[in-house]
Amino acid sequence: MQSLQCHEADGNHSGTYRGPVSKCLFTPDIPPGSVRVFSACPNPALINNLLDPDDAEDTVRTEERDILQLRICTTTNELQCLEMVPAKVSAMRFLILLIMTLRTSAFVCAADRPNVVIILADDLGRGDYSAFGTTDLQTPAIDRLCREGLTFENFYANSCVCSPTRAALLTGCYPDRVGVPGVIRHQLQDSWGWLSPQAVLLPQVLRPAGYHSAIVGKWHLGLSSPNTPTERGFDFFHGFLGDMMDDYLTHRRGGQNFMRRNQEVINPPGHATDLFTTWACDYLTERAETKQPFFLYLAYNAPHDPIQPPPDWIAKVKQREPQMADKRAALVALIEHMDSGIGQVLEKLDQLKLADNTLIFFTSDNGGILSYGATNGPYRSEKQHMYEGGLRVPGIVRWPGHIRAGSRLGHVTLTMDLFATIADVAGVAQPKGIDGVSVLPSLLGQSQPEPVRDLYFVRREGGPVYAGKTIEALMRGPWKLIQDSPFQPLELYNLQSDPQETTNLATREKKIFQDLSAALRQQIQRGGQSPWQEPK
């Protein structure tokens, strides 16, 4: 029996069904006795499955309650569904109608759609790659993406810490709106997020367009059911469920093993960066054998602490930069080791002749940590803080033949905007109510005004420094309002005249301060509508 992908129109419910069409039922929002069937294009396996006489007979017989709702997705820019068929129609009439539907619909096969790869670094500072102009490290793979693609000059992570940014990436929403205002941890007393069951993730949105989706590497959006990757829309997972590893070689966190292949607990030997690179290349090799487009989310845990590069990489850095401080040398080695892995992924795409039809995004989940030797460019502060150094991150995109090599984009862009952009690229409808905005026209060199919108950043955290409360920032044009501690007054900066945030204008620009404060309170209220702890 061939596999048939069945999805509900709004993407809130999805699954893979093996068997007759009639049993692919999602009951929450459709009439009893109805079925919604979507497919990316009329591939032979699907047609053979649908036209099998036994299956068709079973379909008609099973659905004699109300109506059989046969909906074939034409995979244009929006989902287009075809007519409803009376359930008591004969099997022959049903088959005739199906054949006519397949022949007359304006199908665009999934094979024509670009593959999508997102490479996410962990705690990579805004200036910690050589194409930025930093001279004490060498990142030829990241530099290649810059040279062959587009560099975002003003790219912001959705938060200054891990989980919220990852939630924004995969949902297109501000993270507190999907239940992840803070870091999710294995210690429940110190965990500050729970991914909302109502959140629609990017692989769910891409599936109706025929995409196979995989995550390799760090998940960090849930440690157990129902919030594991394959339960939230991914077809394949090979990586680490948790927040950070206590050791890159043993892969444990608090003595627990969170390494998984789908739902299987695994204990692979090797450095985590090397493992994730190898697994990503293996996935690409496997997908090259199919005509199905894929979405690969490659989430490295480097260069997050512990700063633990392989010894030979430290030796290379110290030989090249003998005067470099040991602390900086270790971080540079960890970054260069990750860059080598990215280079292997790019080479694999070349070898498999997939590169020309693959859109690649590269970014980081937040800024770097200065005490480990990170470089956040000219910007103030670091990870965990709402100043520019905690939020500004590298942003690069490559799509050969579509995005002009060596180009740059000055528009302020957030992690959540990648969701909307990828949906645009795949030709699928975006879920209603997301906060991200597609920048695809800008990437393609077309005229696109910069969106006029408030930009909101949030982090909830525990311990005595935060006491379970939140810190926030709100940007409107050149103005940025910050509360970097729950116990300190709000600050106001003009980023156009003061990008280093040196002069607090809260008492001078009272009208702007009041307006942005009111807008920030509205964003906090929106986020408060979503629970961020699992119900007991």
Side-chain angles (χ1 to χ4, degrees):
M1 182 68 67
Q2 298 290 338
S3 176
L4 178 63
Q5 299 284 346
C6 303
H7 309 280
E8 208 202 343
D10 63 4
N12 285 331
H13 306 279
S14 64
T16 300
Y17 162 70
R18 297 180 183 274
V21 179
S22 60
K23 298 199 176 64
C24 178
L25 297 177
F26 293 99
T27 57
D29 299 308
I30 59 176
S34 300
V35 58
R36 299 183 178 189
V37 181
F38 293 96
S39 172
C41 69
N43 60 70
L46 173 63
I47 294 176
N48 289 340
N49 185 63
L50 287 177
L51 298 188
D52 183 88
D54 293 336
D55 284 356
E57 190 72 35
D58 184 45
T59 297
V60 175
R61 184 172 62 251
T62 303
E63 293 304 319
E64 286 184 355
R65 296 193 299 273
D66 289 305
I67 54 174
L68 172 66
Q69 204 170 25
L70 177 66
R71 299 186 172 190
I72 305 296
C73 173
T74 61
T75 66
T76 53
N77 285 336
E78 295 182 355
L79 293 179
Q80 297 181 4
C81 297
L82 302 175
E83 61 195 284
M84 296 156 54
V85 185
K88 294 186 179 181
V89 71
S90 69
M92 183 58 68
R93 283 187 60 198
F94 170 71
L95 293 177
I96 292 173
L97 177 61
L98 174 61
I99 293 170
M100 291 177 62
T101 295
L102 293 174
R103 288 181 176 175
T104 59
S105 296
F107 280 105
V108 178
C109 279
D112 296 330
R113 298 180 181 280
N115 308 307
V116 178
V117 176
I118 296 176
I119 303 175
L120 186 69
D122 197 351
D123 294 2
L124 182 68
R126 177 66 181 91
D128 266 333
Y129 60 104
S130 46
F132 182 80
T134 305
T135 59
D136 67 349
L137 80 171
Q138 296 179 359
T139 54
I142 298 173
D143 296 353
R144 177 186 174 187
L145 290 174
C146 294
R147 188 173 60 253
E148 297 177 356
L150 176 145
T151 298
F152 295 90
E153 295 180 330
N154 296 292
F155 197 95
Y156 285 76
N158 263 88
S159 182
C160 56
V161 289
C162 301
S163 295
T165 295
R166 295 163 197 271
L169 171 65
L170 291 177
T171 66
C173 297
Y174 289 120
D176 56 350
R177 293 191 59 226
V178 292
V180 191
V183 171
I184 296 172
R185 299 187 177 96
H186 68 286
Q187 298 167 315
L188 295 181
Q189 71 276 16
D190 196 27
S191 184
W192 304 97
W194 183 65
L195 185 61
S196 169
Q198 280 73 49
V200 180
L201 272 61
L202 185 55
Q204 295 172 279
V205 173
L206 294 177
R207 184 178 285 126
Y211 280 79
H212 187 277
S213 297
I215 169 173
V216 171
K218 177 176 172 177
W219 167 240
H220 201 187
L221 288 175
L223 297 163
S224 59
S225 182
N227 282 336
T228 61
T230 54
E231 293 175 288
R232 296 310 301 258
F234 283 95
D235 298 298
F236 179 68
F237 171 51
H238 205 173
F240 185 73
L241 289 172
D243 59 335
M244 61 173 281
M245 295 179 185
D246 296 327
D247 188 295
Y248 273 76
L249 297 174
T250 63
H251 322 128
R252 297 298 192 268
R253 177 59 165 154
Q256 299 185 55
N257 183 4
F258 293 115
M259 291 289 267
R260 301 287 188 273
R261 180 182 170 93
N262 295 323
Q263 298 295 330
E264 178 189 359
V265 179
I266 58 175
N267 190 28
H271 193 283
T273 300
D274 293 327
L275 291 174
F276 295 161
T277 296
T278 298
W279 295 344
C281 291
D282 289 345
Y283 176 78
L284 294 175
T285 301
E286 174 190 314
R287 301 319 301 172
E289 299 297 320
T290 75
K291 297 298 183 181
Q292 184 181 13
F294 60 81
F295 164 47
L296 171 61
Y297 172 32
L298 172 55
Y300 285 105
N301 61 328
H304 194 293
D305 63 290
I307 309 303
Q308 192 182 2
D312 57 328
W313 283 86
I314 297 180
K316 290 178 186 178
V317 172
K318 293 295 285 186
Q319 182 178 15
R320 187 183 74 236
E321 302 281 349
Q323 303 305 316
M324 185 181 290
D326 290 345
K327 178 175 65 177
R328 173 67 177 165
L331 180 66
V332 166
L334 191 59
I335 293 170
E336 292 186 355
H337 181 222
M338 177 188 69
D339 181 81
S340 174
I342 295 171
Q344 294 174 53
V345 171
L346 299 182
E347 291 170 7
K348 180 61 67 173
L349 288 168
D350 291 337
Q351 294 168 8
L352 298 171
K353 302 189 184 307
L354 294 172
D356 287 347
N357 194 39
T358 299
L359 172 70
I360 301 177
F361 285 100
F362 172 79
T363 187
S364 178
D365 58 351
N366 45 252
I369 296 181
L370 299 179
S371 61
Y372 294 143
T375 299
N376 291 324
Y379 303 110
R380 177 180 176 179
S381 197
E382 59 183 341
K383 175 186 176 176
Q384 301 187 16
H385 296 276
M386 288 293 171
Y387 300 106
E388 294 288 275
L391 295 172
R392 280 184 177 263
V393 292
I396 308 164
V397 58
R398 187 189 79 171
W399 190 10
H402 299 271
I403 295 175
R404 184 168 59 88
S407 56
R408 307 181 79 86
L409 179 63
H411 291 182
V412 174
T413 310
L414 269 66
T415 313
M416 66 185 182
D417 295 332
L418 301 190
F419 182 106
T421 304
I422 292 169
D424 244 7
V425 168
V428 295
Q430 302 169 20
K432 293 180 181 179
I434 67 170
D435 300 299
V437 174
S438 172
V439 295
L440 180 60
S442 295
L443 302 187
L444 299 179
Q446 301 168 6
S447 176
Q448 182 184 19
E450 185 166 0
V452 178
R453 53 178 175 164
D454 290 347
L455 300 174
Y456 166 62
F457 307 86
V458 63
R459 177 199 180 190
R460 185 178 291 276
E461 189 52 271
V465 176
Y466 300 95
K469 302 180 185 297
T470 59
I471 58 174
E472 299 93 10
L474 186 128
M475 292 171 56
R476 178 180 290 175
W479 295 99
K480 182 179 177 185
L481 184 73
I482 300 176
Q483 184 158 32
D484 198 54
S485 166
F487 310 108
Q488 296 294 327
L490 289 109
E491 306 165 46
L492 180 67
Y493 298 96
N494 187 313
L495 297 179
Q496 184 173 343
S497 60
D498 182 22
Q500 281 77 41
E501 299 165 301
T502 61
T503 306
N504 181 6
L505 301 174
T507 58
R508 295 191 218 170
E509 300 287 351
K510 293 184 178 180
K511 177 66 164 60
I512 294 172
F513 180 84
Q514 291 170 357
D515 289 347
L516 267 63
S517 296
L520 176 59
R521 289 192 294 270
Q522 289 180 345
Q523 292 288 355
I524 294 171
Q525 287 178 320
R526 287 181 77 211
Q529 298 172 17
S530 299
W532 49 272
Q533 291 288 287
E534 182 176 5
K536 300 299 183 184

